[in-house]
Amino acid sequence: MSAHIISATRAKIEGCKNPIEGNPFATRGDFARAVRDICSPTLPMLSPGGARLRLGKTAATYEMVTAELEGYARLLWGIVPLIAGGSAYDEALPRILQGLASGTDPDNPEFWGIPGGDQRGAKDQRLVEMAPIGLALAMAPEKFWEPLSAATKANLTRWLETCLTRPYNDNNWRFFRVLVALGLEKVGHSFDRQPVEDHLARLESFYVADGWYEDGTTRRYDHYIAFAMHFYGLIYARLHGDKDPERAARMVDRAKQFAGDYLYWFGRDGSAIPYGRSLTYRFAHASFWGALAFADVEALPWGQIRGLVARNMRWWSKQPIGDENGVIKLGYAYPNNLMLEEYSADGSPFWALKAFMPLALPAEHPFWTASEEEHPLDDSASSLQPHAKMLLYRNEGHAIAVSGGQSVVRHRNSPAKYSKLAYSSHSGFSVELDLRSAEHGAFDNSLVVREAGDGLWRARETSEVEAMAGALISRWRPLAGVEIESHALVAAPWHIRVHRIRTDRRIETLEGGFSVERVEDDFTVNHNTSRETGDYCAAIFPTGCSLIADLAGNRTGQMLYAAPNTNVMFMRTGIPTLVTTLEPGETVIACAVTSSEAADRIEALIAALPELGRRFAQLDLGG
């Protein structure tokens, strides 16, 4: 069996070259080499004037010239700290400087254009991509400013200064004006600071409590809180804290508080829970920990912070994320356009380079001198995080979030990204292709309903969530006349879900557990040993197992073989499910859900079900 598994795994990676594959991320030099390995395959693709980088033909909501600016500018998130920290990158720096000259010259055919807005009233993406250019001036003016001609300096400052008068999205975007201002100030360019102060004040109004911000007023609490709100705030605290000490101190204190919660989002192997939008930014998840180091904030012991960054990078070094030339492609754990947002272009993934901020630190900084420490949480740890509406726990070192559901937004696949019942750093989650069939809906960790015999499957979208000690309660309405109250609690390595459903019509229901990577399930070498019974469903493949068990005695197990490329982690998956049809009235359905990397652990998990059922029967879930 092992020979076939190895063959399947190699086939999965064939044609995908990971630019950081094999990098141990053990030393500062390893991190520096990673920046070069990620950026160098893109340099031959720069336009003749160096200002535009077209990495593919994927369209986003903004025009192609802006997408090409994005490709150029996002490389700076890695190149700037690399060079600011004293490392050389002679292959890239001259082309970057050439690009600054070409892109900001109105008479040059590669001019980036003046930020404004389009006919739909959308804010200009150029305002986003200005930020790393401003950061370059702020962190290493001797490399990114002083070599420029007088004419280029004038063009560059004139172009950057347009950010002071243009409208921004009312969320983390407001930080981009702040970062540009840091650069303009560093090079001695005078400007009106009031628009910057206005944005700083508005950003602080997004603070909620306990280290948590909102990303604007959308009631979303995802990785953006870490790699945007806190990341930029820590940069501001480091670069401008001497001039704005009280605000900087608040930013630092909030980041310290947040670190204790965000720790739970990472597994022992370095993987983070994929949750929310913009997952194509990949190891940007580690950038919060790197920003703590950059700001010299020891929110956790330095060895733990170093370990969180290094393990995340090592996990990504093992994923097939690049094309045949080693250019990182759109997707998450493999190239995949199905899970993208409408604002994702081919240069978007290079925001991952934000993880390399610690390279700006000298080699003697304690982040680099500390010995890497293991993840401090074991499988007994759990955390109720009411702002994120999550109850997090551990299983086999993996991070799992039982979710009450968050605000669903207009972006693609938002219900799947924000409102499933659970998310896992090991199993990922799936996005729907077509709600008319269960296979194309790929409903892992979802309860979906539809009117019996007809219609689309409906999942949880908007919900009212109540968090209490050890439990989450969400109330939601998937269809007119159908009300569901979902209770979720943890009994590690399981979590239990109880749904009280009131319906005025006959409905069909389907509830999925964790996805399992599906390999070697063909007719020649069939290692699919999944089971469907009246009490449970178990997805069992060489890669592991997943179990969903009925606790109320009114559902039947049924395997769901999801359509390919629906899961953000795995190209082909199996999902254990429970199904039933409900008559009008009130019904309680309940299940226990767990998974394991070891397929042979399934027997022990099944054996534990009777005891788990007895414990469930003793629960008082209220009326």
Side-chain angles (χ1 to χ4, degrees), residues 212 219-225 258 260-266 272-277 279 285 381-394 399-407 414-425 428-429 460 463-474 487-490 495:
W212 284 86
R219 294 183 296 142
R220 285 198 303 267
Y221 304 86
D222 54 17
H223 287 287
Y224 267 86
I225 311 307
F258 179 77
D261 279 356
Y262 199 46
L263 181 66
Y264 280 84
W265 292 50
F266 289 80
I273 296 173
Y275 178 80
R277 63 193 180 100
L279 293 175
H285 293 163
S382 64
S383 174
L384 179 64
Q385 298 184 7
H387 303 296
K389 300 177 176 62
M390 288 180 177
L391 179 58
L392 292 105
Y393 70 102
R394 325 281 292 176
I400 301 169
V402 177
S403 172
Q406 290 193 26
S407 172
S414 279
K417 294 171 181 176
Y418 286 97
S419 290
K420 285 183 181 282
L421 301 169
Y423 296 84
S424 164
S425 66
F429 69 89
R460 183 172 67 179
S463 58
E464 301 170 1
V465 184
E466 178 183 352
M468 58 180 63
L472 288 174
I473 302 173
S474 68
H487 296 243
L489 59 156
V490 171
H495 70 265

Side-chain angles (χ1 to χ4, degrees), residues 356-373:
F356 292 96
M357 280 301 292
L359 284 172
L361 300 170
E364 60 270 18
H365 189 277
F367 175 84
W368 294 118
T369 60
S371 297
E372 183 180 323
E373 296 180 22

Side-chain angles (χ1 to χ4, degrees), residues 433-469:
L433 291 177
D434 188 338
L435 296 177
R436 290 172 293 184
S437 77
E439 291 77 12
H440 289 85
F443 300 121
D444 55 353
N445 288 314
S446 298
L447 172 64
V448 293
V449 305
R450 70 179 179 185
E451 195 161 356
D454 192 21
L456 304 178
W457 289 104
R458 300 291 187 183
R460 183 172 67 179
E461 293 190 15
T462 301
S463 58
E464 301 170 1
V465 184
E466 178 183 352
M468 58 180 63

